[in-house]
Amino acid sequence: MINNILEFFTTVVVFTPKFIPGVFMTFKLSVLSIMMGTVFGLLAAMLKLSHNRLMEAFTDFYVTIVRGTPLLLQLIFIFYGLPQLGIEFNSFFSAVIGLAFHNGAYISEIFRGAIESIDYGQREAARAMGMTKYQTLRRVILPQAIKRSVPALGNQFIIAVKDSSLASAITITETLMLSRQFVAATYNVFPIFFIAACYYLLITSGLSRLLLRVERRFKIYER
Amino acid sequence: MIEIVNLHKYFKQLEVLKGIDMQVTKGEVVCIIGSSGSGKSTLLRCINFLEKKNEGQIWVGGQLVQDTEIDIINLRRKVGMVFQRFNLFPHMTALENVMEGPLTIKKFDKVSARDIAFAYLDKVGLADKANEYPARLSGGQQQRVGIARAMAMEPEVILFDEPTSALDPELVGEVLKVMKDMAKEGMTMVIVTHEMGFAREVSDQVLFLHEGIVAERGTPRDIFELPQHDRLKSFLGQVCLTA
């Protein structure tokens, strides 16, 4: 018993620093896929609300595909499937593209909901002053919509961090892949996965605190 | 200044406006009265194309306004609007709300936009509230900011869509006072209102709308003291202000 506990702690102490490269990769994947996903999401939301039938159909198609198939399948498809059509990306790029595409679809729905929730009078007031559609969007609608989407967006960002672990299926050595390699080498399952879980918790709880601060800053103008 | 010829507006099958003609000359205050559903607000909203007319012509400053994005935007820069529900931008302070037009639409630099905005806020008596967000202002104060926002574009006409209907009774006076001052200074105004006392006092021309047509028009004296139309008589009776 004592021995077990001792072994647990020594493994934790020895292996915690060895996770750094994997955690760094998780971090890189998360940040890139969140940023690109937000851009994709905003673009898709704009297209969806463009009143252009073709653009609407295009974004519907995008959202349907992404939401209707598993992320794991999407990643495997991009990395192992697309090369057959002559479209080849390295594993890191495949992972980032796949994750960003996936997040983008969900984020577009978050933005669309937020934009549609803005009182119609806001648009009318802006347009009646003589603003163009673009000015109305940029100066009046988006600032309010983005504020409203922060809580849901934060949720999606946290999911994005955890989903980055699926990149291990396409040869990316991120936190989960690295822990499996350590487990294979040491057969010491429990402490290794325990460390991995702690690292994920660290990233996600840091992120949610950051998001809470953003939310609070946005609250200034509500009485 | 504004001339409307034979304006028709349908909502689906329902004909809301059945051929309206009206003229507004420079410096004139025109009040549009009538019971709810008579088409007053629709008429006002057709003038700046917030509602698209189905038939008829709208002339502003001697030019026929076509149903194109460019024409409509040019029209709106000349024709301000004040809304029943204020529609201030909640993410901007009172000052920023008023600055928005000069800054974004007229492309003034920040310093001059701020100066203009401050001057108009001062004019509506809210210089001390410049840095408050709309949520911190009373309804009357919000509507005065709304008026300052419209004036900051220095339009040739301002349309008022029931500007006091969403206000608590004790706050109506402060908004009407600002509007009276504007009328005195020669601002051209088209006002949809239920405030008969106000309409009688400030307007040069009153239009009584009934079921989508101008049932009666004239000076406040004609309308309030010598109403001809039975509908107008009963309407004035209902609002308890018959002479």
Side-chain angles (χ1 to χ4, degrees):
Chain A
M1 181 69 189
I2 301 264
N3 263 349
N4 279 346
I5 294 172
L6 214 62
E7 198 196 333
F8 173 78
F9 280 110
T10 38
T11 319
V12 168
V13 170
V14 172
F15 276 88
T16 298
K18 292 190 179 174
F19 268 83
I20 298 295
V23 172
F24 185 62
M25 179 56 87
T26 294
F27 195 75
K28 230 164 51 174
L29 285 174
S30 307
V31 170
L32 283 174
S33 67
I34 284 172
M35 289 195 323
M36 285 173 65
T38 307
V39 174
F40 287 165
L42 197 57
L43 281 175
M46 298 288 98
L47 292 181
K48 172 79 185 172
L49 298 171
S50 65
H51 299 292
N52 178 322
R53 292 266 281 284
L54 195 73
M55 293 300 163
E56 271 177 55
F58 175 75
T59 48
D60 281 345
F61 177 72
Y62 166 47
V63 173
T64 307
I65 296 286
V66 169
R67 288 206 302 195
T69 59
L71 174 56
L72 185 57
L73 179 87
Q74 290 163 18
L75 292 175
I76 291 172
F77 185 80
I78 292 172
F79 186 57
Y80 294 109
L82 287 186
Q84 250 186 345
L85 304 178
I87 307 168
E88 212 163 323
F89 305 122
N90 67 31
S91 58
F92 179 72
F93 197 68
S94 301
V96 170
I97 288 285
L99 292 169
F101 242 64
H102 184 84
N103 289 320
Y106 285 93
I107 290 170
S108 78
E109 288 291 284
I110 293 171
F111 279 140
R112 185 176 65 86
I115 289 169
E116 283 181 341
S117 78
I118 304 299
D119 177 21
Y120 195 72
Q122 292 291 309
R123 198 176 307 259
E124 280 196 337
R127 297 288 276 143
M129 287 168 80
M131 283 196 201
T132 61
K133 277 183 189 157
Y134 174 73
Q135 287 170 332
T136 304
L137 193 68
R138 189 172 54 89
R139 301 288 303 174
V140 177
I141 305 299
L142 280 185
Q144 296 181 59
I146 286 171
K147 185 213 150 193
R148 269 186 212 185
S149 50
V150 168
L153 223 44
N155 218 11
Q156 187 58 40
F157 290 174
I158 285 168
I159 292 172
V161 171
K162 295 184 293 178
D163 277 355
S164 72
S165 64
L166 289 169
S168 61
I170 55 169
T171 76
I172 303 276
T173 315
E174 44 63 74
T175 311
L176 182 64
M177 172 71 118
L178 198 62
S179 26
R180 284 162 75 177
Q181 289 170 358
F182 290 152
V183 167
T186 63
Y187 297 111
N188 206 346
V189 182
F190 183 84
I192 300 277
F193 283 128
F194 177 82
I195 300 169
C198 288
Y199 271 119
Y200 277 113
L201 265 174
L202 199 71
I203 297 177
T204 51
S205 52
L207 184 59
S208 55
R209 284 182 78 170
L210 188 77
L211 287 158
L212 210 65
R213 273 171 71 176
V214 174
E215 225 174 294
R216 268 199 217 119
R217 271 192 61 174
F218 271 130
K219 278 218 170 103
I220 313 171
Y221 59 80
E222 285 177 351
R223 71 200 59 238
Chain B
M1 184 68 251
I2 296 182
E3 186 167 359
I4 292 167
V5 184
N6 194 29
L7 186 82
H8 288 262
K9 171 73 189 173
Y10 300 84
F11 287 126
K12 302 257 168 67
Q13 300 295 330
L14 184 72
E15 188 172 18
V16 193
L17 299 176
K18 303 169 184 169
I20 305 276
D21 295 291
M22 73 182 271
Q23 287 92 32
V24 181
T25 52
K26 196 167 164 45
E28 197 179 26
V29 177
V30 178
C31 281
I32 304 171
I33 61 172
S35 46
S36 58
S38 59
K40 316 182 290 291
S41 283
T42 308
L43 169 58
L44 199 71
R45 292 162 58 84
C46 280
I47 297 178
N48 67 355
F49 286 72
L50 282 184
E51 301 287 353
K52 294 265 164 86
K53 63 184 165 52
N54 294 93
E55 263 175 68
Q57 295 176 335
I58 294 169
W59 297 73
V60 174
Q63 281 183 319
L64 178 64
V65 183
Q66 306 282 0
D67 191 0
T68 61
E69 184 79 4
I70 297 172
D71 263 29
I72 293 173
I73 283 180
N74 279 334
L75 159 100
R76 286 170 175 167
R77 288 175 188 185
K78 285 186 270 183
V79 180
M81 187 160 196
V82 173
F83 295 87
Q84 181 176 359
R85 303 226 31 102
F86 329 135
N87 295 349
L88 294 184
F89 306 132
H91 58 300
M92 300 180 190
T93 61
L95 187 70
E96 286 165 345
N97 263 280
V98 183
M99 277 171 70
E100 190 56 27
L103 196 66
T104 303
I105 299 164
K106 290 192 158 178
K107 309 281 183 202
F108 286 178
D109 62 89
K110 251 194 165 139
V111 178
S112 26
R114 186 175 294 267
D115 289 347
I116 294 169
F118 200 81
Y120 282 107
L121 267 186
D122 193 35
K123 201 162 196 169
V124 299
L126 289 173
D128 57 327
K129 301 284 182 191
N131 294 317
E132 296 284 3
Y133 284 96
R136 299 278 298 260
L137 301 176
S138 73
Q141 290 168 339
Q142 287 189 52
Q143 192 59 297
R144 280 145 66 197
V145 176
I147 292 172
R149 180 174 68 177
M151 286 201 290
M153 281 295 288
E154 301 183 331
E156 294 168 30
V157 193
I158 298 183
L159 312 174
F160 293 81
D161 186 8
E162 302 195 29
T164 58
S165 297
L167 295 177
D168 290 341
E170 77 266 25
L171 301 176
V172 170
E174 60 187 74
V175 172
L176 293 184
K177 186 184 169 301
V178 168
M179 290 168 65
K180 278 178 204 166
D181 291 345
M182 290 165 74
K184 259 182 233 153
E185 286 174 24
M187 185 77 216
T188 315
M189 298 154 84
V190 181
I191 307 165
V192 168
T193 186
H194 290 293
E195 296 291 330
M196 295 305 144
F198 171 79
R200 194 173 179 168
E201 190 184 330
V202 300
S203 43
D204 300 298
Q205 191 191 154
V206 181
L207 268 65
F208 172 65
L209 239 64
H210 182 67
E211 290 177 353
I213 55 162
V214 179
E216 202 162 331
R217 76 176 81 210
T219 62
R221 217 181 111 83
D222 297 336
I223 297 287
F224 293 107
E225 284 164 40
L226 309 159
Q228 302 296 314
H229 202 289
D230 283 342
R231 288 294 179 182
L232 177 55
K233 283 178 194 164
S234 73
F235 173 74
L236 291 174
Q238 274 162 16
V239 295
C240 308
L241 265 158
T242 340

